[in-house]
Amino acid sequence: MGDDMGMDSMGTLHGLVEDRVGRAPEAVAVEYEGRTIAYGELNSRANRLARHLREVSGVRPDDPVVISARHPPDVVVAVLAVLKAGGAYVPLDPDNAPGLTRRMIEAVAPRAVLIESGTAAGAAFFDGDLFVLDVMAPQTVLDTNPTPAAGPGDLAYILHTSGTTGTPRAVAVEHRAVLNTVRWRNAYYGFAPGDVHLAIPGPTFDSSVEDIFCALACGARLLLPRRDQITDRSYLVDLMDRQGVSHFLITPSLYHRLLSGLDRTTASALRSVTVAGEQLSLDLVREHYRRLPGTRLFNEYGPCENSVCSTVQLLAADAERVLIGRPIDGVAAVVLDEKGAEAAAEEVGELYLGGAGLARGYHREPALTAEKFTARPSGAVPGSGAVAQSGSCTGSGSRVYRTGDLVRRLSDGTLEFLGRADRQLKIRGRRVEPAQIAACLTEDASVREAYILCQDSESGTPRLVAFVVGARADDVPRLRGLAAERLPAYMVPADVIPVDELPLTGHGKVDEKALAALACPVDGSPRAAAPSPVQACLLDVWKRILGHGGFGLDDDFFAVGGDSLSVMDLVAELESLLGVRVDSAQPYISRTIHDLARVVETSPRIQPSDS
């Protein structure tokens, strides 16, 4: 298998994969766009790159290595290579603005950066070892497993979450912590060779760790979709139908849109679905079992700081409420009230997590790590009345992570998620700190103060509106550009509204109801009349999807609150209401009602969808 197996290779993520390679090297490990990579080939490609990283770049245990690439198979190879070299992989979104990419790279201080030629802009400044995956070849032909360097206590990856200071937090996770999750998950779900796992979350989302390593550690086939079609319902349904997908993990907001295309015919091989990353509605549970009565539905909960998954609940078709369930093996869950005392059964409290899955902390931020990862509260130990747990609790001593999530522990020990204790949000499965968006906008000299309001919409995706004090109407385009340059796309406000001052309640807090009235016209009506039936229909569809009517025929869909999930809804509505099947890329091209109406009016009609 390799040069020298000295360390316990099974105590690392890549060690699990190498073990599977030894058992079935010819089995298909990864499939993308009809092309397959066998376990042996995947391992060999990763080994060559790993040797380059170790011998040329000088990667050693705990060294961060940034990965910014679009081609999904290359990302998997790069992830494995970094781990085999002994480093910790740091995935960055290749579609981030170059300025954001640069700041994240500077904050992480990586030993090396792996990019593609099309994603080089944000890393052009980097004077360390820069490897271009689609252009360069590793400076070695040796493809056997490198001598193990990293051990269970070394870092496996560093993933970014939102932060309050304007800079994303970098969560550093060790091999032993995430191994606890991967091993539990494969046993709990019964994953095995022959399974086909559709990897929907992108590599910067922590659920991708589960997707990649649960599949490769059990000998399953990891089916990689096109990232530019991840919100195209027809594409995903067809892919699952053709490839016999047996399991996938998905956010509730995306599953809500995907589910309308699934049934026992299109998802005949689907044994289980896991939803995670956002709060799940009871309506979605019922719709799942109406369409897929033979497919189990699981609700996973867990912050990145506790290795992706902390609790799980198998949801029943007749469930009366959605629960996040019980802790997975090796994890302890502690519920404390506002005074820090143990919350009694049925009482609301804040959730603290401890045990084997805890992250090491925040990369290069010892003060923040000490603040969020604290000593276990007095009396809250495994086995006490305040702790719901499964299996043993090992690996992290007396530390616990304060989640900031409010839960209720039921009398049977299961947990119900009730929301955030602070103003942190979840959008498209990603944690969003409104303070980070506000901090970005206040970097502009015109803005004295900024406040971010989150509005519900009929589409299910929250709409962010920024209120800025000091700026004028002609400053808004520049502020929108600043947000788009500095923030990930899912955090860019749908609207920026200048105000003279932020309205306050009698208690001195920002009056969100008063701001909400400013965010949308009082009557909710469009700004322009619709001169044609198709345009009238589009106005109505946009209003339902976006959750407001503050737009006209020439407004940009994405400037008034649209996003990739909204596009999925828009395409489905056009097919259902007008009998027109529009390519999922078209709304990105024809971004106004005027333009999109012309496309619809010249498109051939099909039979309206029954769904």
Side-chain angles (χ1 to χ4, degrees):
M1 287 285 294
D3 303 350
D4 174 13
M5 299 304 291
M7 284 193 182
D8 175 17
S9 63
M10 292 295 286
T12 60
L13 286 175
H14 55 285
L16 293 182
V17 180
E18 290 173 353
D19 177 71
R20 185 54 58 178
V21 171
R23 298 187 191 193
E26 302 303 320
V28 174
V30 173
E31 180 169 352
Y32 176 70
E33 290 286 273
R35 297 184 177 182
T36 62
I37 304 175
Y39 272 87
E41 180 187 354
L42 178 69
N43 195 53
S44 294
R45 288 172 58 180
N47 285 341
R48 286 192 290 271
L49 182 54
R51 289 179 179 276
H52 176 96
L53 290 172
R54 187 181 293 183
E55 298 164 9
V56 178
S57 306
V59 172
R60 298 293 181 266
D62 279 2
D63 282 346
V65 177
V66 163
I67 301 172
S68 179
R70 289 191 177 90
H71 189 58
D74 284 349
V75 173
V76 177
V77 170
V79 164
L80 278 174
V82 172
L83 297 176
K84 285 168 170 283
Y89 75 91
V90 188
L92 298 186
D93 189 339
D95 293 319
N96 278 342
L100 176 60
T101 296
R102 175 168 184 160
R103 289 200 311 280
M104 294 174 81
I105 290 176
E106 289 175 336
V108 168
R111 175 70 65 179
V113 174
L114 306 179
I115 59 170
E116 290 174 341
S117 53
T119 64
F125 75 96
F126 185 66
D127 58 5
D129 193 58
L130 195 66
F131 188 91
V132 186
L133 294 166
D134 57 337
V135 174
M136 302 169 64
Q139 296 182 17
T140 178
V141 295
L142 195 59
D143 64 357
T144 54
N145 292 336
T147 304
D154 293 312
L155 291 182
Y157 59 83
I158 298 172
L159 285 176
H160 288 86
T161 65
S162 179
T164 58
T165 62
T167 300
R169 296 170 177 172
V171 182
V173 179
E174 298 170 351
H175 282 272
R176 61 188 170 196
V178 68
L179 276 177
N180 183 74
T181 300
V182 170
R183 285 172 169 153
W184 164 82
R185 205 164 185 266
N186 279 354
Y188 181 80
Y189 287 97
F191 294 149
D195 286 341
V196 179
H197 293 211
L198 177 61
I200 292 177
T204 60
F205 192 59
D206 63 351
S207 292
S208 68
V209 180
E210 291 185 329
D211 273 340
I212 294 172
F213 290 100
C214 284
L216 298 183
C218 75
R221 177 181 303 202
L222 184 66
L223 181 61
L224 303 173
R226 288 175 56 101
R227 300 311 310 172
D228 60 352
Q229 291 187 273
I230 204 64
T231 57
D232 186 327
R233 185 186 67 184
S234 298
Y235 167 76
L236 289 179
V237 170
D238 179 65
L239 189 63
M240 285 191 283
D241 186 19
R242 286 188 293 104
Q243 299 294 340
V245 170
S246 56
H247 179 84
F248 61 83
L249 184 152
I250 193 169
T251 60
S253 55
L254 182 53
Y255 192 44
H256 170 75
R257 292 154 172 83
L258 176 62
L259 188 55
S260 60
L262 297 178
D263 54 37
R264 280 177 282 191
T265 300
T266 56
S268 59
L270 192 61
R271 297 203 317 273
S272 60
V273 172
T274 298
V275 288
E278 297 169 338
Q279 199 161 359
L280 177 64
S281 71
L282 197 56
D283 286 343
L284 186 58
V285 177
R286 290 169 177 162
E287 180 67 6
H288 166 88
Y289 281 109
R290 187 182 74 81
R291 291 182 172 274
L292 302 171
T295 302
R296 297 182 301 169
L297 181 64
F298 294 89
N299 188 23
E300 284 189 4
Y301 160 87
C304 187
E305 287 86 347
N306 198 53
S307 301
V308 191
C309 180
S310 303
T311 72
V312 66
Q313 176 75 20
L314 171 60
L315 299 169
D318 58 354
E320 297 182 356
R321 52 182 166 178
V322 176
L323 304 176
I324 60 173
R326 298 175 181 273
I328 70 171
D329 288 349
V331 170
V334 185
V335 184
L336 303 179
D337 62 20
E338 292 181 351
K339 298 179 179 179
E342 301 175 5
E346 304 293 340
E347 289 186 350
V348 176
E350 184 175 351
L351 180 62
Y352 290 70
L353 296 169
L358 284 184
R360 180 183 292 181
Y362 298 103
H363 183 60
R364 303 180 76 192
E365 293 193 80
L368 183 61
T369 299
E371 175 189 347
K372 296 296 184 180
F373 292 84
T374 63
R376 186 184 299 279
S378 177
V381 295
S384 77
V387 179
Q389 70 173 59
S390 174
S392 60
C393 178
T394 61
S396 294
S398 61
R399 288 200 315 154
V400 292
Y401 169 68
R402 182 175 184 176
T403 67
D405 290 331
L406 298 178
V407 300
R408 179 187 291 116
R409 184 171 59 85
L410 307 185
S411 56
D412 65 355
T414 56
L415 298 171
E416 180 181 14
F417 177 82
L418 301 174
R420 291 289 302 170
D422 52 23
R423 292 192 67 239
Q424 190 183 76
L425 312 169
K426 277 289 186 78
I427 295 181
R428 302 182 219 169
R430 304 297 188 103
R431 280 161 43 178
V432 173
E433 290 274 8
Q436 181 179 348
I437 305 172
C440 171
L441 293 173
T442 53
E443 290 180 16
D444 188 274
S446 71
V447 179
R448 297 196 305 271
E449 191 176 5
Y451 190 86
I452 311 303
L453 182 68
C454 181
Q455 295 183 307
D456 293 332
S457 69
E458 291 184 17
S459 69
T461 300
R463 180 175 184 264
L464 297 174
V465 180
F467 295 88
V468 290
V469 178
R472 300 175 303 181
D474 54 3
D475 294 319
V476 169
R478 185 180 69 256
L479 295 175
R480 284 177 170 167
L482 175 64
E485 167 67 21
R486 299 293 185 88
L487 299 171
Y490 62 90
M491 293 178 64
V492 175
D495 206 357
V496 178
I497 301 177
V499 292
D500 293 333
E501 60 183 14
L502 294 175
L504 302 179
T505 67
H507 298 289
K509 296 183 178 181
V510 174
D511 189 342
E512 292 195 345
K513 289 184 179 180
L515 290 178
L518 297 174
C520 184
V522 174
D523 61 0
S525 61
R527 295 175 185 155
S532 78
V534 171
Q535 291 171 345
C537 182
L538 285 174
L539 280 167
D540 186 55
V541 169
W542 279 33
K543 184 176 179 180
R544 282 200 305 276
I545 290 174
L546 300 175
H548 68 96
F551 50 79
L553 300 179
D554 295 308
D555 283 315
D556 186 299
F557 182 70
F558 299 95
V560 295
D563 55 29
S564 58
L565 291 182
S566 304
V567 168
M568 197 174 186
D569 288 332
L570 179 58
V571 170
E573 289 264 18
L574 293 179
E575 181 177 332
S576 176
L577 295 176
L578 299 177
V580 174
R581 183 168 293 158
V582 175
D583 187 273
S584 61
Q586 193 63 53
Y588 293 94
I589 302 169
S590 305
R591 299 162 75 107
T592 69
I593 288 177
H594 260 140
D595 292 342
L596 189 57
R598 283 194 289 268
V599 173
V600 171
E601 289 166 349
T602 58
S603 298
R605 294 297 190 269
I606 60 170
Q607 289 296 320
S609 170
D610 293 334
S611 58

